[in-house]
Amino acid sequence: MALLDTRINLDDIEASEGYEALPAGTYPAMIADADVKDTKRGDGQYINVQFNITGATHSGRSVFANFNIRNPVQKAEEIGMQQLKQLTSAIGLKGELLDTQQLVGGSCEIAVVVKKSYEYGESNEVKRFLLASDASPVEKDQASPNAPKSPWQR
């Protein structure tokens, strides 16, 4: 048991209904946090990155992405490094990555899809990292039906 050093009046707090997944689309985002974590099995590591949406729609919402940097499965590590390179290129980071803090504050656009899970319901997954532009996010439902599809939408 632990005593709290402050009083919390639960009657004054509204319960959160949680967030629904963002609609699939491309969103401007800024990296708010990045940290190295151990995998569940303890035999690898990944960089967990928190993106905050900065555009006109869904501003302030967070989306997360993980990048395998050490994994007993070589292919998983290779894919993680390729994705990390795509991110660092999109935010303009060159040279060596020595500290996850080098990522924080970087801006780019993230291509997000909706992933469905029986256990967790709908969630977002970042599929691509793009150079930041001044364009507003284009959600899947707003895009022209005749517009060419981006590679991650095929």
Side-chain angles (χ1 to χ4, degrees):
M1 177 167 63
L3 293 175
L4 302 174
D5 62 356
T6 186
R7 289 179 175 226
I8 301 172
N9 186 346
L10 300 175
D11 294 333
D12 294 339
I13 302 170
E14 286 188 42
S16 171
E17 294 182 25
Y19 286 108
E20 292 182 10
L22 292 173
T26 302
Y27 298 92
M30 183 184 76
I31 299 173
D33 194 23
D35 198 15
V36 174
K37 296 185 177 188
D38 292 327
T39 59
K40 287 180 187 177
R41 291 177 37 182
D43 58 357
Q45 289 184 314
Y46 61 94
I47 298 175
N48 175 258
V49 177
Q50 176 186 350
F51 295 90
N52 285 349
I53 304 300
T54 59
T57 61
H58 308 291
S59 183
R61 291 283 305 273
S62 293
V63 177
F64 296 86
N66 295 326
F67 304 88
N68 278 304
I69 57 171
R70 192 172 61 80
N71 195 293
V73 178
Q74 183 62 37
K75 188 65 174 173
E77 189 173 313
E78 182 181 318
I79 291 169
M81 291 297 190
Q82 291 169 344
Q83 292 170 330
L84 185 59
K85 174 61 177 180
Q86 188 182 78
L87 172 63
T88 57
S89 294
I91 66 171
L93 183 62
K94 296 179 181 177
E96 290 185 313
L97 180 61
L98 302 173
D99 188 329
T100 57
Q101 285 302 113
Q102 291 174 260
L103 301 170
V104 176
S107 293
C108 64
E109 290 192 4
I110 55 175
V112 174
V113 297
V114 177
K115 182 177 156 185
K116 295 181 183 181
S117 162
Y118 175 77
E119 185 176 359
Y120 301 110
E122 290 187 345
S123 63
N124 289 121
E125 182 177 343
V126 181
K127 286 293 194 180
R128 194 157 169 88
F129 307 94
L130 308 157
L131 290 172
S133 72
D134 294 330
S136 297
V138 177
E139 294 179 9
K140 189 176 177 182
D141 297 338
Q142 296 173 341
S144 167
N146 298 329
K149 291 187 176 184
S150 300
W152 63 88
Q153 295 174 319
R154 293 184 183 152

